[in-house]
Amino acid sequence: MKYSLNWLQKHIDSPIPETASLVREITLRAFEVEEVEQKDDDTVLDVKVLPDRAHDALCHRGMAREVSSLFGLKRKELPVAVPVVDTTVQPVRVAIDAPMLSTRYIGVRVDGVAPNASPEWLAGHLTAVGQRSINTLVDITNFVMLDVGQPMHAFDAKKVVGGITVRLAKAGETMTTLDNKALVLSGAELVIADDEGVLALAGVKGGKKAEVDSTTTSIILESANFDPTLTRKTSTLHGIKTDASKRYENGISDKVAEEGIA
């Protein structure tokens, strides 16, 4: 994963050591730094994080914890604001039919949004680590994943019929992924569905049915946790590897889902 030193600094109260010392200590005592790249006023480290640490270190907060520990630096505990609930917004009905396979699922509806260009700070953070800035609605989900390690997904709320159900697929069900890959499901996959059919492969890939587009004005934000083993099997079965599946298949704390949605 690529880590921006400017981004890491937001999680550390003391100044980060100079790059050569930082790279040496990380490589000798934690992870292999594969590449160092200068990008304008930022330095980006490409760090190889092995599966045994993927659950906590595949995000800037996690790497900041590591750097703080290596150098005895004081970390910043960034406050997590409690969202103000607008009771005029229709709540999301969520049912988890496979609780052993999805231990946490939070769905929040947000109305009055628009897929505009992201502000400079958000676009800059993403482009620094090799992510393409798309729009505010997509970029914020990627930012949360890269910042605290929680994969997020946004559904167009107006395209979701009824409620959200987390369940096993039915053999023969079909879906088309966001990148236009047509899938026929075996029945072994965990899916996110509405009252009509499949919206997404849980923890792996969203579908076209509730895709956010230029006309989107209301979204349902998903912040959840899915079974690591089933996520890996589903990803392998359909040949779909994503940033989200990589994190889910290595295990994530349920607590991070709450932080992500806030």
Side-chain angles (χ1 to χ4, degrees):
M1 175 176 161
K2 292 185 177 182
Y3 298 86
S4 153
L5 295 196
N6 287 348
W7 196 338
L8 286 175
Q9 187 67 74
K10 294 181 182 297
H11 289 280
I12 302 176
D13 204 32
S14 308
I16 292 177
E18 54 90 19
T19 304
S21 175
L22 182 66
V23 170
R24 181 177 63 252
E25 289 301 304
I26 291 176
T27 301
L28 291 177
R29 301 171 62 187
F31 311 105
E32 180 182 351
V33 179
E34 297 186 312
E35 186 180 5
V36 179
E37 182 180 3
Q38 193 66 36
K39 288 192 173 183
D40 298 324
D41 66 340
D42 197 3
T43 301
V44 177
L45 307 184
D46 194 347
V47 183
K48 184 177 182 180
V49 177
L50 296 177
D52 65 323
R53 290 296 308 280
H55 68 284
D56 72 299
L58 280 180
C59 63
H60 281 77
R61 183 176 66 177
M63 187 58 67
R65 286 173 175 163
E66 196 71 26
V67 170
S68 297
S69 177
L70 290 174
F71 290 92
L73 305 178
K74 183 179 179 181
R75 289 193 300 111
K76 291 179 182 177
E77 288 293 348
L78 300 179
V80 178
V82 178
V84 177
V85 178
D86 184 347
T87 57
T88 66
V89 176
Q90 181 181 347
V92 182
R93 174 169 57 84
V94 175
I96 303 177
D97 287 356
M100 296 299 293
L101 301 176
S102 179
T103 51
R104 192 77 186 270
Y105 191 98
I106 304 172
V108 174
R109 177 166 174 150
V110 183
D111 288 349
V113 300
N116 298 322
S118 290
E120 185 176 346
W121 71 266
L122 176 55
H125 272 42
L126 295 177
T127 55
V129 295
Q131 294 280 332
R132 182 169 62 93
S133 176
I134 300 172
N135 59 55
T136 49
L137 305 183
V138 176
D139 287 358
I140 196 63
T141 62
N142 288 329
F143 173 82
V144 170
M145 178 181 68
L146 296 171
D147 190 47
V148 300
Q150 175 62 50
M152 305 278 290
H153 189 70
F155 301 100
D156 187 322
K158 293 182 179 179
K159 299 176 184 176
V160 176
V161 179
I164 295 284
T165 301
V166 186
R167 60 169 173 81
L168 286 171
K170 301 170 186 175
E173 276 190 302
T174 62
M175 68 167 286
T176 301
T177 64
L178 288 169
D179 55 357
N180 294 309
K181 184 175 182 178
L183 304 180
V184 178
L185 305 182
S186 69
E189 305 92 341
L190 189 69
V191 297
I192 312 302
D194 66 4
D195 292 357
E196 285 188 343
V198 177
L199 300 174
L201 277 180
V204 179
K205 193 74 173 180
K208 295 287 287 185
K209 182 180 185 299
E211 179 183 15
V212 170
D213 58 30
S214 60
T215 67
T216 299
T217 58
S218 297
I219 59 172
I220 295 173
L221 280 174
E222 169 192 280
S223 186
N225 204 347
F226 304 114
D227 180 74
T229 300
L230 185 56
T231 300
R232 178 180 54 79
K233 288 181 177 179
T234 299
S235 175
T236 301
L237 175 64
H238 293 287
I240 303 173
K241 298 291 182 181
T242 61
D243 288 335
S245 68
K246 183 177 182 179
R247 285 160 176 81
Y248 281 126
E249 69 184 32
N250 286 289
I252 302 174
S253 168
D254 284 354
K255 177 66 176 176
V256 187
E258 182 179 332
E259 296 174 339
I261 204 68

